[in-house]
Amino acid sequence: RKLKREESFFGLHFDFHASDKTESIGEETTYESIANIIDAVEPDFLQCDCKGHPGFSSYPTKVGNAAPGVKADALKIWRKATADRNVALYVHYSGVHDYKAVADHKDWAATNVDGTPHEKSTSLFDDYADKLLIPQLKELAGEYGIDGAWIDGECWGIVNNYSEKALAEFTKATGITEIPKDKTDKYYRQLCDFSREKFFDYLEHYTSEVKKEYPNFQIASNWAFTASHCPEKPRDCVDFLSGDVVPVDTLNAVRFDAKYLPWQNRTWDLMGWSFGRCENTLNASDKSLPMMKQEASFVLSQGGGYQVYYLQNADGSVKPETLKTAPEVAKFCRERQAFCHKQKIKPGVAIFLSKDAMYDENMDYCFWFGDGMLDNVRIAGELLAKNQYNVNVVSEHHLDEDINRFPVIVVPEWKSIKNKKQLIEYAENGGKLIVMGAYLTREFSKELGVEFIDNEPAETKLFFKKNGLYSAFGEGPILSKIEPKTAKAIASAYTNVRKDGIEYPIATVNKCGKGEIVGIYLDFLRSYKSARSVGIVDFVGDVINTVYEPEVKVEGNRFIEVSIGEKEGKTIINLVNSFGGLESQDLSTFDWLPEIRDIKVTVKTDKKPNTITLQPSNIELPFDFDGEKLTLTVPKIEYYEMVVIE
């Protein structure tokens, strides 16, 4: 039976972004090549090329812009091969980014601030959706029987539009007549907000128009409603959430979104690229099987689906190299599916990704958060994961839904936030609030119970000391000097490692109603990337352990990452081996992970379980139970194992 996307778990994605120079498209695509992949991998769905960013379709469309190199209808072959095997077929279709459409129709292009048409992005205020996007999606659904579309180039591709029509709508919606030209101008944030809302209107428009005629056609907009690009409450117009994880510093990137998406209450998957590259080069190397298994583990451990991106040949045919890794990756995922897929992740240490703060700090684009803008959240996630907490990433709407479900909320070095009152009330009601940052802590001085003794934070060379060993806070941490009043100092740092090093309190804890509030008076997360050290990991753990005892503790190796889920009445303790290239943006591939052995796991519970098994190997694990906690030992973790408690 062909599965809907909400039922799907594993898939493969192919694209090649045809251009006007691509030749012989479709001539080498064969039924057998696609059938061989399906038979070997047994995916729930395939996604194949249809139209990439250049705007040329790789099939003989009657309503769009077919590439001049189309020689045969490969899309019909893809549909026939998948239909014969009850495999859903989706297409990769570039939406807002359509270079051909804006070149041919200047009125469809967004307008730059200087009045020239944008060379890549379409306008959300003109006829592109009604004249091209919607008719072509209907063609795909009706003429080809395609099951859905993975629409690329959308939220991250929109730009502020300076056309007369767009600006007139902006003034009508906001009352603002003083049009901002760049991010230093008054009202620029309002213009960005307006552009974002217009994107959601556009998304709702074209999806609803397609579904009027083809209600079962399933649509996702790449990176919409994700942490990386669009941390907003999902709109009902999309059927599932998805994004392709960048092939640079992959594990930190995939962890970030995988720990956010479970809280969106939607069907979701993440796409891993089958090739990787370093930060400063576009030259890519095929990923090894260990890399791909490890990357998949991060997604599976959060309950999501997984798909792998393989390049098609320039003519649209399938690369035979796909079969070198895809069957083994699929097998690895399938072995774990019954336990991990759609598990409900339990609330733990929640990192607050403030949508409003993000938009305030990053106004170069509407939804593209480049240049390390989200490093404060990503690095906080890395440090918390290395302390083996069950980490969540959440935004404003998740807190509005039920803030008290999270036992700890970490606010990571935003310059300012708008929901201070809500967070203070959370602490007063019994929550544990961790406020990080030299600037942000100043907004909570009363609740933190400290007095700031400098006018402005300053860059300071600092070291943390534990067990007689010093660890640097990286290049250029920024410190606010404080004097505790009602607060208790719980961590200090030193200006150098000699005897004359000046000691400063850098973290405090204070009572806040029924709960507690912790302040960390440093901006150090981004600088941690320049000098990662176990001492700084310990610093973060020591501070949080002052106010929080996790439900699950793991001893034996810091590289085991922990998350806790529930499924069918069973508790799932997900244990992922994060060793490898996690901390290097200069490493494109590696081919080996060490097995981690004899991991001691302690779980707080007042109920003695019937059985505990290690999955997917189905090994029954002996355990001890003292009425308050159970303890057990996991003999070996290669990539990703689950302790299943029944």
Side-chain angles (χ1 to χ4, degrees), residues 384-417:
L384 293 169
K386 282 186 174 178
N387 279 287
Q388 299 171 308
Y389 299 118
N390 176 32
V391 179
N392 319 134
V393 179
V394 298
S395 292
E396 282 89 343
H397 61 281
H398 302 123
L399 302 186
D400 292 340
E401 289 163 5
D402 182 8
I403 191 172
N404 295 315
R405 59 185 155 167
F406 302 105
V408 180
I409 295 177
V410 176
V411 188
E413 294 184 9
W414 299 110
K415 290 181 180 177
S416 180
I417 55 174

PDB file of all heavy atoms in Angstrom, residues 384-417:
ATOM      1  N   LEU A 384      24.954  21.641  26.177  1.00  0.00           N
ATOM      2  CA  LEU A 384      23.972  20.916  26.989  1.00  0.00           C
ATOM      3  C   LEU A 384      23.940  19.439  26.620  1.00  0.00           C
ATOM      4  O   LEU A 384      23.813  18.572  27.494  1.00  0.00           O
ATOM      5  CB  LEU A 384      22.595  21.546  26.809  1.00  0.00           C
ATOM      6  CG  LEU A 384      22.440  22.962  27.372  1.00  0.00           C
ATOM      7  CD1 LEU A 384      21.145  23.583  26.895  1.00  0.00           C
ATOM      8  CD2 LEU A 384      22.501  22.953  28.892  1.00  0.00           C
ATOM      9  N   ALA A 385      24.050  19.147  25.319  1.00  0.00           N
ATOM     10  CA  ALA A 385      24.053  17.748  24.891  1.00  0.00           C
ATOM     11  C   ALA A 385      25.274  17.010  25.425  1.00  0.00           C
ATOM     12  O   ALA A 385      25.195  15.842  25.803  1.00  0.00           O
ATOM     13  CB  ALA A 385      24.002  17.667  23.366  1.00  0.00           C
ATOM     14  N   LYS A 386      26.427  17.695  25.487  1.00  0.00           N
ATOM     15  CA  LYS A 386      27.627  17.050  26.023  1.00  0.00           C
ATOM     16  C   LYS A 386      27.529  16.818  27.523  1.00  0.00           C
ATOM     17  O   LYS A 386      28.254  15.988  28.074  1.00  0.00           O
ATOM     18  CB  LYS A 386      28.859  17.901  25.701  1.00  0.00           C
ATOM     19  CG  LYS A 386      29.321  17.749  24.267  1.00  0.00           C
ATOM     20  CD  LYS A 386      30.622  18.477  24.034  1.00  0.00           C
ATOM     21  CE  LYS A 386      31.153  18.197  22.647  1.00  0.00           C
ATOM     22  NZ  LYS A 386      32.399  18.945  22.370  1.00  0.00           N
ATOM     23  N   ASN A 387      26.629  17.562  28.176  1.00  0.00           N
ATOM     24  CA  ASN A 387      26.336  17.275  29.579  1.00  0.00           C
ATOM     25  C   ASN A 387      25.216  16.247  29.714  1.00  0.00           C
ATOM     26  O   ASN A 387      24.758  15.984  30.813  1.00  0.00           O
ATOM     27  CB  ASN A 387      25.978  18.569  30.311  1.00  0.00           C
ATOM     28  CG  ASN A 387      27.202  19.351  30.728  1.00  0.00           C
ATOM     29  OD1 ASN A 387      27.901  18.971  31.656  1.00  0.00           O
ATOM     30  ND2 ASN A 387      27.472  20.454  30.024  1.00  0.00           N
ATOM     31  N   GLN A 388      24.765  15.722  28.584  1.00  0.00           N
ATOM     32  CA  GLN A 388      23.858  14.580  28.497  1.00  0.00           C
ATOM     33  C   GLN A 388      22.483  14.861  29.097  1.00  0.00           C
ATOM     34  O   GLN A 388      21.843  13.987  29.665  1.00  0.00           O
ATOM     35  CB  GLN A 388      24.533  13.343  29.095  1.00  0.00           C
ATOM     36  CG  GLN A 388      25.802  13.024  28.304  1.00  0.00           C
ATOM     37  CD  GLN A 388      26.677  11.957  28.913  1.00  0.00           C
ATOM     38  OE1 GLN A 388      27.031  12.042  30.085  1.00  0.00           O
ATOM     39  NE2 GLN A 388      27.044  10.964  28.130  1.00  0.00           N
ATOM     40  N   TYR A 389      22.028  16.107  28.899  1.00  0.00           N
ATOM     41  CA  TYR A 389      20.646  16.434  29.216  1.00  0.00           C
ATOM     42  C   TYR A 389      19.760  16.060  28.030  1.00  0.00           C
ATOM     43  O   TYR A 389      20.204  15.989  26.886  1.00  0.00           O
ATOM     44  CB  TYR A 389      20.494  17.936  29.480  1.00  0.00           C
ATOM     45  CG  TYR A 389      21.294  18.464  30.639  1.00  0.00           C
ATOM     46  CD1 TYR A 389      22.276  19.431  30.439  1.00  0.00           C
ATOM     47  CD2 TYR A 389      21.070  18.022  31.940  1.00  0.00           C
ATOM     48  CE1 TYR A 389      23.020  19.939  31.495  1.00  0.00           C
ATOM     49  CE2 TYR A 389      21.816  18.524  33.004  1.00  0.00           C
ATOM     50  CZ  TYR A 389      22.784  19.477  32.773  1.00  0.00           C
ATOM     51  OH  TYR A 389      23.518  19.971  33.819  1.00  0.00           O
ATOM     52  N   ASN A 390      18.503  15.842  28.310  1.00  0.00           N
ATOM     53  CA  ASN A 390      17.485  15.716  27.271  1.00  0.00           C
ATOM     54  C   ASN A 390      17.155  17.134  26.809  1.00  0.00           C
ATOM     55  O   ASN A 390      16.443  17.869  27.466  1.00  0.00           O
ATOM     56  CB  ASN A 390      16.244  15.027  27.851  1.00  0.00           C
ATOM     57  CG  ASN A 390      15.100  14.958  26.856  1.00  0.00           C
ATOM     58  OD1 ASN A 390      15.306  14.850  25.652  1.00  0.00           O
ATOM     59  ND2 ASN A 390      13.882  15.026  27.363  1.00  0.00           N
ATOM     60  N   VAL A 391      17.715  17.534  25.654  1.00  0.00           N
ATOM     61  CA  VAL A 391      17.663  18.930  25.208  1.00  0.00           C
ATOM     62  C   VAL A 391      16.504  19.137  24.239  1.00  0.00           C
ATOM     63  O   VAL A 391      16.274  18.322  23.329  1.00  0.00           O
ATOM     64  CB  VAL A 391      18.991  19.328  24.539  1.00  0.00           C
ATOM     65  CG1 VAL A 391      18.934  20.774  24.052  1.00  0.00           C
ATOM     66  CG2 VAL A 391      20.157  19.132  25.499  1.00  0.00           C
ATOM     67  N   ASN A 392      15.769  20.239  24.418  1.00  0.00           N
ATOM     68  CA  ASN A 392      14.730  20.669  23.483  1.00  0.00           C
ATOM     69  C   ASN A 392      15.087  22.060  22.972  1.00  0.00           C
ATOM     70  O   ASN A 392      15.770  22.813  23.662  1.00  0.00           O
ATOM     71  CB  ASN A 392      13.353  20.738  24.151  1.00  0.00           C
ATOM     72  CG  ASN A 392      13.070  19.584  25.102  1.00  0.00           C
ATOM     73  OD1 ASN A 392      12.583  19.820  26.203  1.00  0.00           O
ATOM     74  ND2 ASN A 392      13.382  18.364  24.703  1.00  0.00           N
ATOM     75  N   VAL A 393      14.631  22.409  21.786  1.00  0.00           N
ATOM     76  CA  VAL A 393      14.747  23.772  21.259  1.00  0.00           C
ATOM     77  C   VAL A 393      13.330  24.269  20.995  1.00  0.00           C
ATOM     78  O   VAL A 393      12.554  23.607  20.296  1.00  0.00           O
ATOM     79  CB  VAL A 393      15.587  23.823  19.969  1.00  0.00           C
ATOM     80  CG1 VAL A 393      15.661  25.251  19.427  1.00  0.00           C
ATOM     81  CG2 VAL A 393      16.989  23.281  20.219  1.00  0.00           C
ATOM     82  N   VAL A 394      12.984  25.422  21.575  1.00  0.00           N
ATOM     83  CA  VAL A 394      11.603  25.901  21.503  1.00  0.00           C
ATOM     84  C   VAL A 394      11.572  27.399  21.202  1.00  0.00           C
ATOM     85  O   VAL A 394      12.536  28.117  21.459  1.00  0.00           O
ATOM     86  CB  VAL A 394      10.841  25.627  22.822  1.00  0.00           C
ATOM     87  CG1 VAL A 394      10.770  24.131  23.095  1.00  0.00           C
ATOM     88  CG2 VAL A 394      11.494  26.349  23.999  1.00  0.00           C
ATOM     89  N   SER A 395      10.441  27.858  20.669  1.00  0.00           N
ATOM     90  CA  SER A 395      10.226  29.276  20.373  1.00  0.00           C
ATOM     91  C   SER A 395       9.051  29.812  21.178  1.00  0.00           C
ATOM     92  O   SER A 395       8.455  29.099  21.988  1.00  0.00           O
ATOM     93  CB  SER A 395       9.979  29.469  18.865  1.00  0.00           C
ATOM     94  OG  SER A 395      11.148  29.200  18.120  1.00  0.00           O
ATOM     95  N   GLU A 396       8.675  31.072  20.907  1.00  0.00           N
ATOM     96  CA  GLU A 396       7.637  31.745  21.680  1.00  0.00           C
ATOM     97  C   GLU A 396       6.334  30.963  21.708  1.00  0.00           C
ATOM     98  O   GLU A 396       5.691  30.841  22.762  1.00  0.00           O
ATOM     99  CB  GLU A 396       7.371  33.150  21.104  1.00  0.00           C
ATOM    100  CG  GLU A 396       8.400  34.194  21.494  1.00  0.00           C
ATOM    101  CD  GLU A 396       9.578  34.279  20.557  1.00  0.00           C
ATOM    102  OE1 GLU A 396       9.782  33.326  19.765  1.00  0.00           O
ATOM    103  OE2 GLU A 396      10.311  35.274  20.607  1.00  0.00           O
ATOM    104  N   HIS A 397       5.906  30.447  20.550  1.00  0.00           N
ATOM    105  CA  HIS A 397       4.590  29.798  20.532  1.00  0.00           C
ATOM    106  C   HIS A 397       4.577  28.498  21.333  1.00  0.00           C
ATOM    107  O   HIS A 397       3.538  28.093  21.836  1.00  0.00           O
ATOM    108  CB  HIS A 397       4.110  29.564  19.095  1.00  0.00           C
ATOM    109  CG  HIS A 397       4.984  28.690  18.257  1.00  0.00           C
ATOM    110  ND1 HIS A 397       6.139  29.137  17.663  1.00  0.00           N
ATOM    111  CD2 HIS A 397       4.874  27.384  17.914  1.00  0.00           C
ATOM    112  CE1 HIS A 397       6.688  28.159  16.967  1.00  0.00           C
ATOM    113  NE2 HIS A 397       5.951  27.076  17.118  1.00  0.00           N
ATOM    114  N   HIS A 398       5.723  27.849  21.475  1.00  0.00           N
ATOM    115  CA  HIS A 398       5.775  26.647  22.310  1.00  0.00           C
ATOM    116  C   HIS A 398       5.613  27.011  23.788  1.00  0.00           C
ATOM    117  O   HIS A 398       4.980  26.276  24.550  1.00  0.00           O
ATOM    118  CB  HIS A 398       7.105  25.915  22.103  1.00  0.00           C
ATOM    119  CG  HIS A 398       7.357  25.526  20.685  1.00  0.00           C
ATOM    120  ND1 HIS A 398       8.471  25.933  19.997  1.00  0.00           N
ATOM    121  CD2 HIS A 398       6.631  24.776  19.819  1.00  0.00           C
ATOM    122  CE1 HIS A 398       8.431  25.447  18.767  1.00  0.00           C
ATOM    123  NE2 HIS A 398       7.326  24.748  18.641  1.00  0.00           N
ATOM    124  N   LEU A 399       6.196  28.141  24.183  1.00  0.00           N
ATOM    125  CA  LEU A 399       6.040  28.585  25.567  1.00  0.00           C
ATOM    126  C   LEU A 399       4.608  29.037  25.827  1.00  0.00           C
ATOM    127  O   LEU A 399       4.059  28.794  26.907  1.00  0.00           O
ATOM    128  CB  LEU A 399       7.021  29.722  25.868  1.00  0.00           C
ATOM    129  CG  LEU A 399       8.512  29.415  25.666  1.00  0.00           C
ATOM    130  CD1 LEU A 399       9.359  30.591  26.140  1.00  0.00           C
ATOM    131  CD2 LEU A 399       8.919  28.137  26.386  1.00  0.00           C
ATOM    132  N   ASP A 400       4.000  29.691  24.848  1.00  0.00           N
ATOM    133  CA  ASP A 400       2.612  30.128  25.010  1.00  0.00           C
ATOM    134  C   ASP A 400       1.671  28.937  25.168  1.00  0.00           C
ATOM    135  O   ASP A 400       0.674  29.008  25.895  1.00  0.00           O
ATOM    136  CB  ASP A 400       2.175  30.966  23.811  1.00  0.00           C
ATOM    137  CG  ASP A 400       2.900  32.308  23.736  1.00  0.00           C
ATOM    138  OD1 ASP A 400       3.434  32.747  24.780  1.00  0.00           O
ATOM    139  OD2 ASP A 400       2.927  32.898  22.648  1.00  0.00           O
ATOM    140  N   GLU A 401       1.974  27.839  24.486  1.00  0.00           N
ATOM    141  CA  GLU A 401       1.106  26.660  24.560  1.00  0.00           C
ATOM    142  C   GLU A 401       1.135  26.035  25.954  1.00  0.00           C
ATOM    143  O   GLU A 401       0.107  25.664  26.496  1.00  0.00           O
ATOM    144  CB  GLU A 401       1.543  25.632  23.504  1.00  0.00           C
ATOM    145  CG  GLU A 401       1.232  26.054  22.078  1.00  0.00           C
ATOM    146  CD  GLU A 401       2.011  25.277  21.037  1.00  0.00           C
ATOM    147  OE1 GLU A 401       2.747  24.332  21.418  1.00  0.00           O
ATOM    148  OE2 GLU A 401       1.900  25.603  19.842  1.00  0.00           O
ATOM    149  N   ASP A 402       2.306  25.893  26.541  1.00  0.00           N
ATOM    150  CA  ASP A 402       2.431  25.328  27.893  1.00  0.00           C
ATOM    151  C   ASP A 402       3.872  25.477  28.357  1.00  0.00           C
ATOM    152  O   ASP A 402       4.678  24.566  28.234  1.00  0.00           O
ATOM    153  CB  ASP A 402       2.011  23.851  27.912  1.00  0.00           C
ATOM    154  CG  ASP A 402       2.078  23.238  29.306  1.00  0.00           C
ATOM    155  OD1 ASP A 402       2.303  23.999  30.273  1.00  0.00           O
ATOM    156  OD2 ASP A 402       1.899  22.017  29.430  1.00  0.00           O
ATOM    157  N   ILE A 403       4.183  26.616  28.927  1.00  0.00           N
ATOM    158  CA  ILE A 403       5.557  26.887  29.338  1.00  0.00           C
ATOM    159  C   ILE A 403       5.979  26.013  30.507  1.00  0.00           C
ATOM    160  O   ILE A 403       7.153  25.649  30.644  1.00  0.00           O
ATOM    161  CB  ILE A 403       5.723  28.382  29.684  1.00  0.00           C
ATOM    162  CG1 ILE A 403       7.213  28.735  29.861  1.00  0.00           C
ATOM    163  CG2 ILE A 403       4.909  28.769  30.913  1.00  0.00           C
ATOM    164  CD1 ILE A 403       7.458  30.220  30.010  1.00  0.00           C
ATOM    165  N   ASN A 404       5.023  25.642  31.369  1.00  0.00           N
ATOM    166  CA  ASN A 404       5.366  24.929  32.608  1.00  0.00           C
ATOM    167  C   ASN A 404       5.722  23.459  32.392  1.00  0.00           C
ATOM    168  O   ASN A 404       6.145  22.790  33.337  1.00  0.00           O
ATOM    169  CB  ASN A 404       4.216  25.049  33.603  1.00  0.00           C
ATOM    170  CG  ASN A 404       4.011  26.485  34.050  1.00  0.00           C
ATOM    171  OD1 ASN A 404       4.962  27.191  34.358  1.00  0.00           O
ATOM    172  ND2 ASN A 404       2.765  26.933  34.055  1.00  0.00           N
ATOM    173  N   ARG A 405       5.566  22.951  31.167  1.00  0.00           N
ATOM    174  CA  ARG A 405       5.942  21.552  30.927  1.00  0.00           C
ATOM    175  C   ARG A 405       7.464  21.368  30.915  1.00  0.00           C
ATOM    176  O   ARG A 405       7.957  20.248  31.066  1.00  0.00           O
ATOM    177  CB  ARG A 405       5.345  21.077  29.596  1.00  0.00           C
ATOM    178  CG  ARG A 405       5.784  21.892  28.403  1.00  0.00           C
ATOM    179  CD  ARG A 405       5.078  21.473  27.122  1.00  0.00           C
ATOM    180  NE  ARG A 405       5.054  22.572  26.165  1.00  0.00           N
ATOM    181  CZ  ARG A 405       4.738  22.432  24.884  1.00  0.00           C
ATOM    182  NH1 ARG A 405       4.427  21.233  24.410  1.00  0.00           N
ATOM    183  NH2 ARG A 405       4.721  23.473  24.090  1.00  0.00           N
ATOM    184  N   PHE A 406       8.207  22.458  30.708  1.00  0.00           N
ATOM    185  CA  PHE A 406       9.660  22.363  30.634  1.00  0.00           C
ATOM    186  C   PHE A 406      10.263  22.604  32.019  1.00  0.00           C
ATOM    187  O   PHE A 406      10.084  23.684  32.589  1.00  0.00           O
ATOM    188  CB  PHE A 406      10.209  23.378  29.640  1.00  0.00           C
ATOM    189  CG  PHE A 406       9.659  23.218  28.251  1.00  0.00           C
ATOM    190  CD1 PHE A 406       8.708  24.106  27.758  1.00  0.00           C
ATOM    191  CD2 PHE A 406      10.063  22.166  27.450  1.00  0.00           C
ATOM    192  CE1 PHE A 406       8.182  23.959  26.489  1.00  0.00           C
ATOM    193  CE2 PHE A 406       9.540  21.998  26.173  1.00  0.00           C
ATOM    194  CZ  PHE A 406       8.594  22.903  25.693  1.00  0.00           C
ATOM    195  N   PRO A 407      10.986  21.633  32.577  1.00  0.00           N
ATOM    196  CA  PRO A 407      11.559  21.821  33.917  1.00  0.00           C
ATOM    197  C   PRO A 407      12.653  22.877  33.970  1.00  0.00           C
ATOM    198  O   PRO A 407      12.873  23.491  35.009  1.00  0.00           O
ATOM    199  CB  PRO A 407      12.109  20.434  34.272  1.00  0.00           C
ATOM    200  CG  PRO A 407      12.303  19.739  32.970  1.00  0.00           C
ATOM    201  CD  PRO A 407      11.239  20.267  32.055  1.00  0.00           C
ATOM    202  N   VAL A 408      13.345  23.091  32.841  1.00  0.00           N
ATOM    203  CA  VAL A 408      14.413  24.098  32.768  1.00  0.00           C
ATOM    204  C   VAL A 408      14.283  24.833  31.443  1.00  0.00           C
ATOM    205  O   VAL A 408      14.055  24.210  30.397  1.00  0.00           O
ATOM    206  CB  VAL A 408      15.818  23.460  32.856  1.00  0.00           C
ATOM    207  CG1 VAL A 408      16.904  24.533  32.787  1.00  0.00           C
ATOM    208  CG2 VAL A 408      15.972  22.620  34.108  1.00  0.00           C
ATOM    209  N   ILE A 409      14.420  26.159  31.487  1.00  0.00           N
ATOM    210  CA  ILE A 409      14.475  26.953  30.255  1.00  0.00           C
ATOM    211  C   ILE A 409      15.771  27.750  30.259  1.00  0.00           C
ATOM    212  O   ILE A 409      16.073  28.472  31.211  1.00  0.00           O
ATOM    213  CB  ILE A 409      13.276  27.904  30.129  1.00  0.00           C
ATOM    214  CG1 ILE A 409      11.973  27.098  29.991  1.00  0.00           C
ATOM    215  CG2 ILE A 409      13.438  28.828  28.921  1.00  0.00           C
ATOM    216  CD1 ILE A 409      10.725  27.946  29.935  1.00  0.00           C
ATOM    217  N   VAL A 410      16.538  27.601  29.186  1.00  0.00           N
ATOM    218  CA  VAL A 410      17.805  28.306  29.017  1.00  0.00           C
ATOM    219  C   VAL A 410      17.602  29.398  27.970  1.00  0.00           C
ATOM    220  O   VAL A 410      17.177  29.121  26.842  1.00  0.00           O
ATOM    221  CB  VAL A 410      18.926  27.347  28.572  1.00  0.00           C
ATOM    222  CG1 VAL A 410      20.219  28.114  28.315  1.00  0.00           C
ATOM    223  CG2 VAL A 410      19.143  26.255  29.613  1.00  0.00           C
ATOM    224  N   VAL A 411      17.915  30.643  28.345  1.00  0.00           N
ATOM    225  CA  VAL A 411      17.793  31.775  27.419  1.00  0.00           C
ATOM    226  C   VAL A 411      19.207  32.176  27.014  1.00  0.00           C
ATOM    227  O   VAL A 411      19.946  32.765  27.806  1.00  0.00           O
ATOM    228  CB  VAL A 411      17.053  32.953  28.087  1.00  0.00           C
ATOM    229  CG1 VAL A 411      16.752  34.036  27.053  1.00  0.00           C
ATOM    230  CG2 VAL A 411      15.756  32.480  28.740  1.00  0.00           C
ATOM    231  N   PRO A 412      19.639  31.869  25.777  1.00  0.00           N
ATOM    232  CA  PRO A 412      21.071  31.901  25.431  1.00  0.00           C
ATOM    233  C   PRO A 412      21.570  33.167  24.739  1.00  0.00           C
ATOM    234  O   PRO A 412      21.627  33.260  23.515  1.00  0.00           O
ATOM    235  CB  PRO A 412      21.194  30.705  24.489  1.00  0.00           C
ATOM    236  CG  PRO A 412      19.887  30.704  23.762  1.00  0.00           C
ATOM    237  CD  PRO A 412      18.861  31.279  24.690  1.00  0.00           C
ATOM    238  N   GLU A 413      21.967  34.162  25.517  1.00  0.00           N
ATOM    239  CA  GLU A 413      22.734  35.303  25.009  1.00  0.00           C
ATOM    240  C   GLU A 413      22.037  36.129  23.939  1.00  0.00           C
ATOM    241  O   GLU A 413      22.689  36.619  23.011  1.00  0.00           O
ATOM    242  CB  GLU A 413      24.110  34.839  24.485  1.00  0.00           C
ATOM    243  CG  GLU A 413      25.020  34.302  25.578  1.00  0.00           C
ATOM    244  CD  GLU A 413      26.407  33.935  25.066  1.00  0.00           C
ATOM    245  OE1 GLU A 413      26.724  34.251  23.902  1.00  0.00           O
ATOM    246  OE2 GLU A 413      27.174  33.330  25.825  1.00  0.00           O
ATOM    247  N   TRP A 414      20.710  36.282  24.022  1.00  0.00           N
ATOM    248  CA  TRP A 414      20.067  37.272  23.168  1.00  0.00           C
ATOM    249  C   TRP A 414      20.377  38.659  23.711  1.00  0.00           C
ATOM    250  O   TRP A 414      20.539  38.848  24.912  1.00  0.00           O
ATOM    251  CB  TRP A 414      18.556  37.050  23.143  1.00  0.00           C
ATOM    252  CG  TRP A 414      18.148  35.709  22.612  1.00  0.00           C
ATOM    253  CD1 TRP A 414      17.603  34.677  23.312  1.00  0.00           C
ATOM    254  CD2 TRP A 414      18.283  35.248  21.268  1.00  0.00           C
ATOM    255  NE1 TRP A 414      17.386  33.601  22.491  1.00  0.00           N
ATOM    256  CE2 TRP A 414      17.794  33.915  21.227  1.00  0.00           C
ATOM    257  CE3 TRP A 414      18.766  35.825  20.098  1.00  0.00           C
ATOM    258  CZ2 TRP A 414      17.768  33.164  20.063  1.00  0.00           C
ATOM    259  CZ3 TRP A 414      18.742  35.066  18.927  1.00  0.00           C
ATOM    260  CH2 TRP A 414      18.248  33.761  18.918  1.00  0.00           C
ATOM    261  N   LYS A 415      20.413  39.641  22.837  1.00  0.00           N
ATOM    262  CA  LYS A 415      20.666  41.009  23.304  1.00  0.00           C
ATOM    263  C   LYS A 415      19.477  41.538  24.100  1.00  0.00           C
ATOM    264  O   LYS A 415      19.633  42.297  25.054  1.00  0.00           O
ATOM    265  CB  LYS A 415      20.966  41.917  22.111  1.00  0.00           C
ATOM    266  CG  LYS A 415      22.309  41.615  21.459  1.00  0.00           C
ATOM    267  CD  LYS A 415      22.581  42.546  20.287  1.00  0.00           C
ATOM    268  CE  LYS A 415      23.928  42.215  19.642  1.00  0.00           C
ATOM    269  NZ  LYS A 415      24.177  43.055  18.446  1.00  0.00           N
ATOM    270  N   SER A 416      18.272  41.139  23.681  1.00  0.00           N
ATOM    271  CA  SER A 416      17.072  41.566  24.383  1.00  0.00           C
ATOM    272  C   SER A 416      15.938  40.623  23.998  1.00  0.00           C
ATOM    273  O   SER A 416      15.955  40.038  22.911  1.00  0.00           O
ATOM    274  CB  SER A 416      16.708  43.003  24.012  1.00  0.00           C
ATOM    275  OG  SER A 416      15.550  43.431  24.696  1.00  0.00           O
ATOM    276  N   ILE A 417      14.969  40.446  24.880  1.00  0.00           N
ATOM    277  CA  ILE A 417      13.803  39.629  24.576  1.00  0.00           C
ATOM    278  C   ILE A 417      12.551  40.371  25.014  1.00  0.00           C
ATOM    279  O   ILE A 417      12.593  41.235  25.889  1.00  0.00           O
ATOM    280  CB  ILE A 417      13.863  38.243  25.257  1.00  0.00           C
ATOM    281  CG1 ILE A 417      14.060  38.394  26.764  1.00  0.00           C
ATOM    282  CG2 ILE A 417      14.946  37.380  24.646  1.00  0.00           C
ATOM    283  CD1 ILE A 417      13.976  37.086  27.511  1.00  0.00           C
TER     284      ILE A 417
END
